[in-house]
Amino acid sequence: MRLLDAIAREEPLGASALTFLLRHYLATGREDLGEAIGGALAGALTRGAEEPDVTARAEWLTLFAEATALSDDERLLTAAAALVAGLREEWPSAMQVAEAAASVDACLRAADVAGLVDPRELVPAAIDQLERIVGGAYQPGGGMAATIHGAAHARGGAADQIRPAAALLTAFERSARLPYSMLAEELVQPARRDPSAPGDGVITCEAARVLCRLAALHADQHY
């Protein structure tokens, strides 16, 4: 696997690549993956804290939060807590839909980690922020705009639909509010109709994950 070779050469990997390896390890239990990820995480802690991009910081938060299932290293909790605090601090001024949604989604997911945050406080705050994003950028039948409270509504790009859809599904999982999953399904309709719709490789992968989550919901008899 090329990612393992890159780790062996001590090349820095991004959060999404490390998260892929982590999830693969948790699903398979492969020892070589566990050893490689453990070493790579130690070097990633500082990089996550220094990342200036909001979406990338959300990815680092997701990685560190999920990595607590692999390691009891207190530094993971410390790094994740700092990222949650930093992302939340920027919520009131957030204007870009895709990155704001990624921030909310990562924080909602982090609420599951024991000892990291108080979910009774974080989850409602994150859902309030998600409501702000949707209220300021969504137009019925027109999807999400690229910016919150823009001067005129114009449908945003693939990331502006897929990342809010992912956050809405996570909010549904935490709140059981049916309108969230219904709106998520509406936002990904273009991806369902045309899987080759414009979007980079990362967004295509994110769209596939959202569609898989929706398929799992539809397979649930209680949904």
Side-chain angles (χ1 to χ4, degrees):
M1 185 181 291
R2 292 182 179 179
L3 293 179
L4 291 182
D5 292 340
I7 291 175
R9 295 192 297 269
E10 298 185 352
E11 295 179 7
L13 294 180
S16 58
L18 289 174
T19 301
F20 168 78
L21 288 176
L22 173 64
R23 291 172 178 172
H24 192 32
Y25 167 73
L26 294 175
T28 64
R30 282 176 47 184
E31 291 186 6
D32 58 333
L33 288 175
E35 293 174 359
I37 294 166
L41 281 173
L45 290 169
T46 301
R47 292 172 55 212
E50 296 174 347
E51 175 59 59
D53 180 76
V54 172
T55 302
R57 271 185 283 134
E59 292 173 350
W60 285 114
L61 172 57
T62 297
L63 171 64
F64 297 153
E66 294 188 16
T68 59
L70 172 66
S71 171
D72 58 2
D73 190 335
E74 288 293 328
R75 294 178 299 172
L76 288 172
L77 285 177
T78 299
L83 286 167
V84 169
L87 289 170
R88 289 188 62 180
E89 185 176 350
E90 297 174 357
W91 284 352
S93 61
M95 292 299 294
Q96 300 302 312
V97 165
E99 65 179 30
S103 173
V104 169
D105 193 21
C107 287
L108 281 171
R109 291 174 177 275
D112 292 336
V113 179
L116 176 57
V117 295
D118 180 357
R120 295 170 298 180
E121 191 276 330
L122 177 58
V123 170
I127 288 179
D128 284 347
Q129 171 65 0
L130 182 58
E131 293 270 9
R132 171 182 171 265
I133 296 168
V134 172
Y138 171 69
Q139 180 171 317
M144 300 287 288
T147 58
I148 303 169
H149 298 303
H153 185 91
R155 186 181 182 90
D160 301 312
Q161 318 308 316
I162 298 303
R163 286 176 179 156
L168 285 161
L169 286 176
T170 307
F172 169 73
E173 292 164 0
R174 304 302 185 276
S175 68
R177 296 177 186 172
L178 192 58
Y180 293 159
S181 60
M182 294 174 64
L183 179 54
E185 189 154 7
E186 177 186 330
L187 294 178
V188 299
Q189 286 303 315
R192 292 183 61 182
R193 291 192 297 266
D194 182 10
S196 63
D200 62 26
V202 172
I203 296 302
T204 301
C205 290
E206 292 181 17
R209 286 197 294 268
V210 169
L211 291 172
C212 286
R213 294 170 70 184
L214 284 169
L217 277 182
H218 283 282
D220 185 345
Q221 297 181 9
H222 300 290
Y223 177 67

